[in-house]
Amino acid sequence: MIGKEGVLESSAWHRCTIHFYLGKGGISLKRLLHTSMFYTIIGLIGGVFYREYTKMMDFEGSTQLGLVHTHFLMLGMFMFFIILLMEKQFQIMRHKWFNAFYICYNIGLLITGGMLTTHGIMTVQGKTTGPAISGIAGLGHIFLGIGIAILFVILYKSISGSKNEPQRS
């Protein structure tokens, strides 16, 4: 809602922000598939960039650019494939913390991948990286870790409440 002075009120801003990130009604299976496809594309582009950029710069050493490809494919594409399968089995998207997991994990993965790319480019160019790059990458890893912890809580609660678990006598 627009307030007296033409500024969005906080509750309306919150609804707009959530709608932007999660779509109307939260996250859907299609959104998870699109997220997986997004990370597939980013991972493949990262792999091609690594190969072509190091070749263009005549670089033959070790660089973090080589990790961008696998990070986005494994932590992005495969992770969301697995979450799709878990949703079909345990309905984890119904959990009240699933949106928090989704946002936190994606922010962490994008920050981590961005810093891997930045650090790798600087290495290929022969520049030294300062503590700021490492600090921001650390924040990305913290977001990833929090997201994974939230996912484990969701899985634990979903599995504990599942009727598929065999009863013990």
Side-chain angles (χ1 to χ4, degrees):
M1 297 230 139
I2 305 284
K4 290 184 208 174
E5 296 161 20
V7 178
L8 282 175
E9 293 176 359
S10 64
S11 62
W13 173 251
H14 183 272
R15 283 192 301 271
C16 291
T17 307
I18 295 299
H19 178 72
F20 173 75
Y21 284 122
L22 307 177
K24 189 174 183 179
I27 301 169
S28 65
L29 290 174
K30 190 180 263 188
R31 174 64 57 107
L32 291 177
L33 182 61
H34 287 171
T35 303
S36 183
M37 289 173 19
F38 169 76
Y39 286 124
T40 302
I41 292 166
I42 296 297
L44 294 174
I45 289 170
V48 170
F49 178 75
Y50 163 64
R51 186 187 72 225
E52 295 301 320
Y53 187 67
T54 54
K55 196 185 316 179
M56 181 181 76
M57 300 294 286
D58 290 325
F59 184 82
E60 295 186 10
S62 177
T63 175
Q64 287 188 342
L65 277 178
L67 302 174
V68 172
H69 173 73
T70 52
H71 269 69
F72 280 123
L73 290 180
M74 294 307 296
L75 295 176
M77 180 185 80
F78 283 118
M79 178 69 154
F80 285 100
F81 273 162
I82 292 167
I83 290 172
L84 271 168
L85 295 173
M86 287 189 290
E87 168 58 23
K88 284 298 203 182
Q89 182 66 30
F90 301 111
Q91 293 80 38
I92 61 175
M93 290 172 51
R94 293 181 184 175
H95 195 279
K96 64 183 177 182
W97 289 358
F98 189 81
N99 290 346
F101 153 74
Y102 184 83
I103 292 170
C104 190
Y105 187 84
N106 280 297
I107 288 171
L109 184 52
L110 292 171
I111 290 172
T112 300
M115 289 301 102
L116 280 172
T117 305
T118 302
H119 189 268
I121 289 171
M122 291 177 76
T123 301
V124 170
Q125 292 175 350
K127 298 178 181 175
T128 58
T129 58
I133 299 292
S134 297
I136 296 170
L139 286 174
H141 282 85
I142 289 169
F143 274 104
L144 276 172
I146 292 170
I148 290 170
I150 293 170
L151 181 62
F152 274 115
V153 168
I154 292 168
L155 284 172
Y156 182 79
K157 290 183 182 225
S158 296
I159 290 171
S160 296
S162 173
K163 293 181 176 42
N164 296 333
E165 192 173 326
Q167 298 296 324
R168 296 188 183 178
S169 304

